[in-house]
């Protein structure tokens, strides 16, 4: 059995390093896409919980949008919405209706919108960027 020479090891190392360098942009893009999907799912889950609480209590309930906006900054995602302190997101009791609007979650390459209709329907879609699994285009 013959041992490998130093040149063979260096060639193997160079090929491995080259393949690693080529795959880094794809890895970064996949990571950003997964974080965007995670943020979108977190928003959908939270809003559906607030809607369910309002329906159970048969009373109007205001969704607090600040906690999720703050956490999304950890993942370098920007969050904007059509809601404000003067125009809050309110779910109206038993009917499940809501103040219509949307929340945009953005990173460098994609934008996901979470829509809330006046009937209380909550959905998300990609409004800008490449397709992500599980999220339709707007």
């Amino acid at each position: 059995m013959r041992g490998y020479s130093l040149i063979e090891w260096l060639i193997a190392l160079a090929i491995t390093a080259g393949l690693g360098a080529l795959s880094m942009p794809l890895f970064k893009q996949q990571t950003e896409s997964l974080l965007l999907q995670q943020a979108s799912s977190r928003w959908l889950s939270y809003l559906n919980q607030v809607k369910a609480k309002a329906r159970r209590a048969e009373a109007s309930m205001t969704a607090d949008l600040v906690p999720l906006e703050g956490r999304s900054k950890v993942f370098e995602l920007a969050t904007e919405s059509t809601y404000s302190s003067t125009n809050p997101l309110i779910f109206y009791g038993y009917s499940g209706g809501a103040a219509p609007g949307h929340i945009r979650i953005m990173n460098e390459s994609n934008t996901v919108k979470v829509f809330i209709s006046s009937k209380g329907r909550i959905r998300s879609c990609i409004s800008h960027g490449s397709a992500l699994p599980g999220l339709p285009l707007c």
Side-chain angles (χ1 to χ4, degrees):
M1 191 155 124
R2 143 183 135 84
Y4 294 104
S5 71
L6 180 61
I7 293 177
E8 289 171 329
W9 280 109
L10 289 175
I11 291 172
L13 183 63
I15 290 171
T16 304
L19 291 173
L22 290 174
S23 66
M24 285 307 290
L26 180 61
F27 177 75
K28 183 180 180 226
Q29 181 183 12
Q30 285 293 95
T31 303
E32 289 175 353
S33 296
L34 288 173
L35 291 174
L36 192 61
Q37 286 176 296
Q38 180 185 25
S40 171
S41 294
R42 195 170 53 238
W43 276 103
L44 287 172
S45 176
Y46 171 70
L47 295 174
N48 279 312
Q49 287 176 6
V50 174
K51 177 182 171 182
K53 285 179 185 178
R55 289 185 81 169
R56 266 195 314 274
E58 295 185 13
S60 295
M61 190 169 288
T62 302
D64 183 14
L65 303 182
V66 175
L68 289 178
E69 287 178 346
R71 281 199 298 178
S72 66
K73 290 178 185 173
V74 172
F75 300 120
E76 298 179 7
L77 299 172
T79 306
E80 298 175 354
S81 75
T82 56
Y83 302 105
S84 65
S85 58
T86 58
N87 181 29
L89 171 53
I90 301 172
F91 287 96
Y92 302 111
Y94 184 75
S95 70
H102 68 269
I103 299 165
R104 290 187 335 169
I105 309 160
M106 302 160 286
N107 64 15
E108 292 178 7
S109 56
N110 291 328
T111 300
V112 172
K113 280 189 179 179
V114 177
F115 288 100
I116 301 94
S117 74
S118 60
K119 293 183 179 182
R121 181 174 178 225
I122 305 166
R123 65 182 179 90
S124 63
C125 61
I126 298 178
S127 65
H128 174 73
S130 59
L132 298 173
L135 289 172
L137 298 175
C138 292

